[in-house]
Amino acid sequence: MKRSLQHKLEKDFLLVIGSVLFAFIILEVGIFDALLREIQNVGAIIGSFFAGVFFTSIFTIAPASLVLIKIASFSDPLTVSVFGALGAMVGDLLVFFFVKHTLADDLITLIRRSKYQKIFHRLHFGILRFVMPVIGALVIASPLPDEVGLALLGVSKIKTIYLIPIALVMNFVGILALVFVGGLL
C-alpha cells in the first residue's frame, strides 16, 4: 500500500511539473499568442469560462492562469473574473463529486487506521467541524490547488447546495487577485 501511494504521488508530481513546463513552452513558442487571437475572436467571456474550468486542477492551473491573465490584459478584469469563477465553480463541482466519494473516504479510512483516531474523532465533532470548511474555502480562493480545499469540504460533509456559492465567491476572489497581480507584472 505504501509503494502504491508513493508511486501515485511521484506520478502526480511529474504531471504537475509537466503542466508547468507545457505552459512555458506554449508561451515561448507562440502557440499561446495564436490561441489568444482565437479567443479574442470567440470572445473573452467564453475563453474566461473555459480557462476557469481548468483553473481548478493542480494539473492545469498553470496554463489556465496564464490564459486568464492574458485575457484580462485585453478585456475587463472584472468580466474575466466573473466568468472565470463560473467556469471554476463548474470545475470544482466535477472535482468535488470525485473527491467527496474517493479522496475524502480514503482520508477518513487512513485516519481511522492511525493512532490519532481518537483525537481526530473528538476534533471532528468539535472545532474542526467549523474550521475545516473555512480552511477549505480559503484554499479554493488561494493559488493552491482546489482539490485540497474540496477534500476538506468533502471531509466536513458540506452539502452541494452550500458548495456552489462558496466555490463561486472564493474562485472569483482568487481569479480577480490573479488577474490584477498578473496585470501589474
Side-chain angles (χ1 to χ4, degrees):
M1 184 168 142
K2 286 183 181 180
R3 176 65 187 143
S4 175
L5 179 61
Q6 181 182 359
H7 180 70
K8 285 171 101 176
L9 290 175
E10 289 171 354
K11 183 179 171 185
D12 290 347
F13 179 74
L14 289 174
L15 285 172
V16 170
I17 296 298
S19 172
V20 171
L21 289 174
F22 177 71
F24 285 116
I25 289 170
I26 64 171
L27 183 64
E28 291 298 318
V29 171
I31 296 172
F32 195 66
D33 292 330
L35 177 67
L36 285 178
R37 283 192 293 278
E38 289 302 315
I39 289 173
Q40 283 177 332
N41 294 337
V42 173
I45 291 173
I46 295 170
S48 298
F49 180 83
F50 283 110
V53 171
F54 291 105
F55 186 72
T56 61
S57 173
I58 189 170
F59 303 113
T60 57
I61 194 168
S65 297
L66 288 174
V67 170
L68 288 167
I69 290 169
K70 283 293 192 178
I71 292 173
S73 72
F74 63 79
S75 185
D76 176 36
L78 195 57
T79 303
V80 171
S81 300
V82 167
F83 286 96
L86 285 168
M89 179 193 65
V90 169
D92 279 344
L93 287 173
L94 293 171
V95 171
F96 181 71
F97 290 122
F98 171 74
V99 166
K100 185 177 181 180
H101 297 296
T102 58
L103 187 59
D105 292 340
D106 292 345
L107 185 60
I108 290 170
T109 302
L110 183 66
I111 290 169
R112 284 184 182 148
R113 291 182 183 172
S114 75
K115 58 185 173 183
Y116 303 108
Q117 176 186 3
K118 289 181 183 179
I119 295 170
F120 178 77
H121 183 70
R122 287 186 182 137
L123 288 175
H124 184 66
F125 292 107
I127 193 166
L128 271 185
R129 190 173 89 205
F130 300 105
V131 173
M132 281 198 316
V134 172
I135 294 171
L138 291 174
V139 168
I140 290 173
S142 77
L144 296 171
D146 286 3
E147 289 96 341
V148 174
L150 293 169
L152 290 172
L153 292 171
V155 168
S156 67
K157 300 185 182 195
I158 192 167
K159 294 181 180 178
T160 307
I161 192 76
Y162 299 123
L163 174 67
I164 292 171
I166 289 170
L168 182 63
V169 169
M170 300 315 271
N171 279 308
F172 172 76
V173 169
I175 292 172
L176 187 63
L178 173 79
V179 297
F180 276 122
V181 169
L184 295 175
L185 302 176

